[in-house]
Amino acid sequence: MGLGIGDDCAVLAIPPRHQVLVTTDFMLEGIHFRREWHPPESIGHRCLTRGLSDIAAMGGEPLAAFLSLALPRNLPQSSVDRFLTGLLNLAGKFGVSLAGGDTAESPGGILADIVLVGSVPKGKAILRSRARPGDRIYVSGELGGSAAALRWMREHSKRKLDPRAFARHFFPEPRLQLGRVLREKGLASAMIDISDGLSTDLAHVCEESGVGAELRAEAIPVASIGKPARKVGLHVALHGGEDYELLFTVPPGKSVPARVAGMPITHIGHITRSKKMLLVEKGVVRELIPQGWQHFTE
Ligand SMILES: [Mg+2]
């Protein structure tokens, strides 16, 4: 069965003098979400956020999404409808059409495979590989809020979190406008979205660029979550995933405003020649080891 498509293939119009961006992601029940924790709308929303955030990280514009779903036979139709509502609400907000897809029966849990197609003016995609020693490192928003909510659910398995009060985890916003403005202003030398955690995603930039980095612990914008709001720990802000904020580097001599496209921007460190990542905390320097984002697979 096809999904929202009338022909054998989708036909996409690409703006003139643009290049095509393509990103693909799996969302697996039990790995990326749990039905007892995540309402269907949140699963649909988060499914699309992953791809949109990748497009944002290149400074691109999203064009269309393609969704392939494998669903257990006993899944109520109302859950499928709510999943699509969550996904389509976010798609509508950013002018992305769901241009095709497929559904099949899953012998196990829910599997969602999403492909996002976007575009960027030719030669203007912001890559991970262009950070240079001396560039300053910036992040948007606050970090650790999504992982802290996840940790809470893991530790309090009998209680539920109100998705509206923990939107950072349940309904994260891709930073498309920020990515676009950074590209238009030519501010960022390199960029990545923080999907796997600051330490891991910064390590990707360092590796691709052949450089190192030094971060100031006190500068890292640590998220506040819950009501009343409490700051999450530095460890969660450094290593927790799925914040979908943008991390970017800026060459010396270019000034960055405190807010770009409505988002607060924080200077957290700089790129170095040595190929290590260092964290300076209260004057003490230690190596920052990327701690890959582990979903909830234990
Ligand atoms: Mg990414």
Side-chain angles (χ1 to χ4, degrees), residues 23 25 50 53-55 57 128 192-196 201 244:
T23 175
D25 277 296
R50 280 178 86 79
S53 181
D54 284 333
I55 302 270
R128 298 176 177 183
I192 191 168
D193 68 313
I194 303 182
S195 55
D196 295 336
D201 289 313
Y244 300 111

Side-chain angles (χ1 to χ4, degrees), residues 244-267:
Y244 300 111
E245 296 295 348
L246 295 180
L247 179 155
F248 57 96
T249 57
V250 177
K254 290 195 177 183
S255 72
V256 177
R259 297 181 86 85
V260 178
M263 284 304 300
I265 301 299
T266 309
H267 175 199

Side-chain angles (χ1 to χ4, degrees), residues 42-239:
S42 164
I43 301 170
H45 180 110
R46 282 159 38 97
C47 190
L48 186 61
T49 293
R50 280 178 86 79
L52 289 178
S53 181
D54 284 333
I55 302 270
M58 307 294 289
E61 305 281 346
L63 289 172
F66 298 83
L67 174 69
S68 292
L69 278 176
L71 304 169
R73 181 190 286 272
N74 63 4
L75 188 73
Q77 182 61 39
S78 61
S79 295
V80 182
D81 294 344
R82 288 172 61 195
F83 171 92
L84 287 172
T85 299
L87 190 144
L88 291 172
N89 279 347
L90 184 64
K93 193 169 167 183
F94 292 104
V96 183
S97 60
L98 184 57
D102 201 7
T103 57
E105 192 176 306
S106 164
I110 301 171
L111 286 86
D113 178 27
I114 192 153
V115 176
L116 250 291
V117 177
S119 74
V120 67
K122 200 171 178 205
K124 299 292 184 195
I126 305 174
L127 308 178
R128 298 176 177 183
S129 53
R130 301 283 164 81
R132 295 293 172 260
D135 287 2
R136 285 157 291 149
I137 303 168
Y138 291 83
V139 289
S140 63
E142 297 179 338
L143 303 179
S146 179
L150 190 59
R151 177 185 277 186
W152 192 95
M153 288 190 286
R154 204 185 272 152
E155 288 169 0
H156 303 80
S157 55
K158 295 285 180 295
R159 290 161 65 196
K160 284 199 169 180
L161 279 183
D162 176 2
R164 285 159 307 174
F166 293 87
R168 265 174 215 289
H169 176 75
F170 291 96
F171 297 99
E173 286 276 316
R175 303 302 182 197
L176 281 158
Q177 215 197 332
L178 172 60
R180 177 189 311 134
V181 171
L182 289 171
R183 189 245 308 149
E184 284 168 354
K185 291 185 184 294
L187 274 179
S189 46
M191 185 149 68
I192 191 168
D193 68 313
I194 303 182
S195 55
D196 295 336
L198 172 61
S199 62
T200 300
D201 289 313
L202 177 59
H204 292 319
V205 170
C206 288
E207 200 170 309
E208 293 296 323
S209 297
V211 295
E214 187 177 307
L215 298 185
R216 286 176 294 121
E218 289 80 7
I220 291 168
V222 171
S224 298
I225 64 162
K227 281 176 188 151
R230 278 183 50 203
K231 286 213 170 230
V232 307
L234 177 66
H235 186 84
V236 185
L238 281 172
H239 306 295

